[in-house]
Amino acid sequence: MSISVGIVGLPNVGKSTLFNALLKRQAALAANYPFATIEPNVGIVDVPDNRLQVLADIVKKDFGERVGDRQIPGKIIPAVVKFYDIAGLVEGAHKGEGLGNAFLSHIRDVDAILHVVRVFDDENIARAGSVSPEDDRKTINTELILADISTLEKRLQLFERELKRDPSKENKEKQRLYQVLLDGLNKTILGSDIGFTNEEYKYLKDLNLLTLKPMLYVYNISEDIMSSDVVHNADNDLETGISVCAKFEEDLSMLPEDEKEGFLRGYNMSESGINVIVRNSYDLLNLQTFLTAGPKEVRAWTIKKGSKAPQAAGKIHSDFERGFISAEIINFDKLREAGSYKQAKEKGLIRKEGKDYVMKEGDVVEFHFSV
């Protein structure tokens, strides 16, 4: 399942620095001038998941460490998120200012938005339109809203003709929801904050509007105010989000693995802010993970919350869903307590579930199918 998150914000707020930290290498050009990034940089980032190594150890216990010259398990594959480092937006972007039309089109291609807001002070880094965290946040959101108003007004004009041709109940409901959305946008309310139900959202999804995409605020703070209290909680005067120091995270990402823990401890941090961002980006899209474990590979699979067992099986292979018979399932915590898959089976901890079973976070699964 391909999940994409776009990193947006005003120029020079630290988007590319944050992107570099996410990718744990100097992948994006970070420069002290507007539009240093034109085409979006793209990177694949693992979703932090300590359960995978635990499962790998369990597989080794059940099957041995090697079969011939092959190591067990052959692979450990985490879930991933694709991040896009999108160039800085400026006031007037919805009218094409600062290459705004191109940048807004890049945002349309992603599933969710990571909105980076500048909180740090550095006289050596040009502000490029940045005024204050609250004003900067409003500037970006206003541009997204104005772009969506333009799109929606055009869609409503075209839809009037469509409604005359087909005045069905479904089309009338679409028109009503379009108007509710437009009224909300005109009141500067983001589409995602209007409060549409999941059923109503299905009628709006094909619009691919910017403000309907889930958004996570990331406040880029100065290193001198970092603490464990600040890193995971945004300023109370702003929208709820995550506070990180992008420069610190970039420096941390360059360190050898055995030095990172001590570096974090020096700032009273138990983990990097990047791990928090990646996990929250995953949660933002209403996703969860199920796990598979065997001699060939230990793997985390991404599914929508509420998915049933056959749908989950289909993520592995379409044949698994089409010929689904049953799923043998154990919760990860129970498997870890048992110490091995064989012992879990002997204790009767592994359940057999059918087609109506709704998958839960951390299910360890073996699917049975016939085609």
Side-chain angles (χ1 to χ4, degrees), residues 117-131:
V117 180
R118 177 172 175 164
V119 179
F120 70 89
D121 288 316
D122 189 333
E123 60 185 18
N124 297 313
I125 299 179
R127 280 203 165 266
S130 173
V131 178

Side-chain angles (χ1 to χ4, degrees), residues 118-121 219-233 235 243-245 248 267 269:
R118 177 172 175 164
V119 179
F120 70 89
D121 288 316
Y219 298 100
N220 189 6
I221 62 175
S222 302
E223 191 170 336
D224 59 1
I225 63 169
M226 285 177 57
S227 75
S228 58
D229 292 333
V230 176
V231 168
H232 299 91
N233 298 285
D235 189 309
S243 290
V244 300
C245 174
F248 170 87
Y267 287 86
M269 293 169 62

Side-chain angles (χ1 to χ4, degrees), residues 55-68 70-74 292-298 335 339-342 345 366:
L55 282 178
D57 292 340
I58 287 173
V59 169
K60 287 177 185 176
K61 188 172 181 180
D62 282 334
F63 295 93
E65 296 204 1
R66 304 188 74 83
V67 173
R70 286 183 302 152
Q71 183 176 313
I72 292 179
T292 55
K296 290 186 178 180
E297 70 175 31
V298 169
L335 178 55
S340 78
Y341 199 83
K342 288 177 181 176
K345 208 159 196 173
E366 182 180 346

